[in-house]
């Protein structure tokens, strides 16, 4: 059974970089699938941040692309999110998820997120 | 970006009721539509993918339909564990966008 677990600081100062890691168990990242990040501000809806294949192919939400880096570490079977120049608007629960993308394309194709990690709250405040 | 609009935003229903939630896309998305359930304080869980395919392990009282711009999620007989917020999500074009959610509450 595939399980994902997010970890990282719960508090980040404005203008700094938010860094999170998602540890994957029960499946080898290098075996396939994209791996993605989604966030949810308190009391609000879901926003996709970006997804990455183990070989390096990435998709980023254009609204965040200039500030986001997603990377994969196959030796540790984990992937990471870095979001720079954060503001209070970046306060959210951050989820990692396996991103199934048929035919190797995550858009214009059948794709979905499953399973998800439990999520981790990151607050941006001084 | 493709806008996904769910209706209603919330509803009250009783155990055993039939419930239908609607999701409308701002342009045609073929059948590239997924549904998720989020219980309070928990991560979203995939219920239905590609508009009507039931994810493994999801009870058969859940069903999805539609194509193009209009989609539905139906719960045939609401159970206590179904009280949650439901989100639709399109994968037709990047960025993949979610609806604002429909909260199903106990009447």
């Amino acid at each position: 059974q595939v399980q994902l677990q997010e970890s990282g600081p719960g508090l980040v100062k404005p203008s700094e970089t938010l860094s999170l890691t998602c540890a994957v168990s029960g499946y080898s990242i290098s075996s396939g699938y994209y791996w993605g990040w989604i966030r949810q501000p308190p009391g609000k809806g879901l926003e996709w941040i970006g997804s990455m294949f183990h070989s390096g192919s990435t998709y980023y939400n254009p609204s965040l692309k200039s500030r986001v880096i997603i990377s994969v570490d196959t030796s540790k079977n984990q992937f990471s999110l870095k979001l720079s120049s954060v503001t209070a608007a970046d306060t959210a629960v951050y989820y990692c998820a396996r991103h199934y993308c048929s035919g190797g394309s995550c858009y214009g194709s059948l794709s979905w997120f499953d399973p998800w990690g439990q999520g981790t709250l990151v607050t941006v405040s001084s | 970006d493709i806008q996904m609009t769910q209706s209603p935003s919330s509803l009250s229903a009783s155990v055993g009721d039939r419930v239908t939630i609607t999701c409308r896309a701002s342009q045609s998305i073929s059948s590239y539509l997924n549904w998720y359930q989020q219980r309070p304080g928990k991560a979203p869980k995939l219920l239905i993918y590609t508009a009507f395919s039931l994810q493994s392990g999801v009870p058969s009282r859940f069903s999805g339909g539609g194509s193009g711009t209009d989609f539905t999620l139906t719960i045939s007989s609401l159970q206590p564990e179904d009280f949650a917020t439901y989100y639709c999500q399109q994968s037709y074009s990047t960025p993949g966008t979610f609806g604002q959610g429909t909260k199903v509450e106990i009447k």
Side-chain angles (χ1 to χ4, degrees):
Chain A
Q1 181 182 357
V2 182
Q3 293 185 311
L4 297 88
Q5 177 69 58
E6 305 88 349
S7 62
L11 181 64
V12 180
K13 290 182 169 57
S15 79
E16 296 189 344
T17 296
L18 177 160
S19 296
L20 296 174
T21 296
C22 181
V24 179
S25 59
Y27 187 85
S28 173
I29 283 181
S30 58
S31 293
Y33 289 101
Y34 277 75
W35 303 88
W37 291 94
I38 304 102
R39 69 180 182 178
Q40 184 173 37
K44 296 188 177 181
L46 299 159
E47 180 182 35
W48 169 71
I49 299 169
S51 301
M52 185 172 191
F53 197 65
H54 68 86
S55 62
S57 174
T58 55
Y59 289 87
Y60 290 131
N61 189 323
S63 69
L64 298 168
K65 186 175 182 177
S66 63
R67 300 195 289 131
V68 172
I69 297 175
I70 296 175
S71 59
V72 171
D73 186 339
T74 55
S75 67
K76 295 182 178 179
N77 213 41
Q78 64 186 33
F79 60 105
S80 300
L81 168 70
K82 292 188 184 299
L83 179 65
S84 62
S85 304
V86 298
T87 69
D90 296 310
T91 294
V93 175
Y94 285 76
Y95 296 100
C96 59
R98 185 171 66 178
H99 193 175
Y100 173 82
C101 303
S102 66
S105 176
C106 292
Y107 292 102
S109 70
L110 307 177
S111 73
W112 52 83
F113 299 100
D114 179 69
W116 297 54
Q118 66 183 27
T120 187
L121 175 63
V122 179
T123 301
V124 179
S125 175
S126 56
Chain B
D1 298 3
I2 295 177
Q3 305 302 314
M4 306 300 293
T5 304
Q6 292 180 229
S7 60
S9 295
S10 65
L11 64 90
S12 295
S14 301
V15 172
D17 284 353
R18 181 182 181 89
V19 169
T20 297
I21 298 168
T22 297
C23 177
R24 174 164 290 175
S26 59
Q27 67 180 73
S28 177
I29 57 170
S30 185
S31 295
Y32 298 159
L33 189 284
N34 308 310
W35 289 98
Y36 300 87
Q37 175 194 64
Q38 186 176 35
R39 295 187 175 117
K42 300 295 186 182
K45 170 189 169 184
L46 178 68
L47 294 178
I48 289 172
Y49 58 95
T50 63
F52 57 84
S53 297
L54 199 65
Q55 172 67 341
S56 176
V58 174
S60 60
R61 62 181 179 272
F62 290 93
S63 63
S67 66
T69 60
D70 295 313
F71 301 86
T72 58
L73 172 69
T74 298
I75 309 172
S76 60
S77 178
L78 201 63
Q79 298 302 301
E81 60 267 31
D82 301 336
F83 292 95
T85 299
Y86 295 85
Y87 293 93
C88 60
Q89 178 243 332
Q90 64 85 15
S91 67
Y92 183 80
S93 69
T94 186
T97 43
F98 293 82
Q100 83 279 13
T102 294
K103 187 174 184 179
V104 177
E105 299 176 301
I106 301 173
K107 181 182 285 184

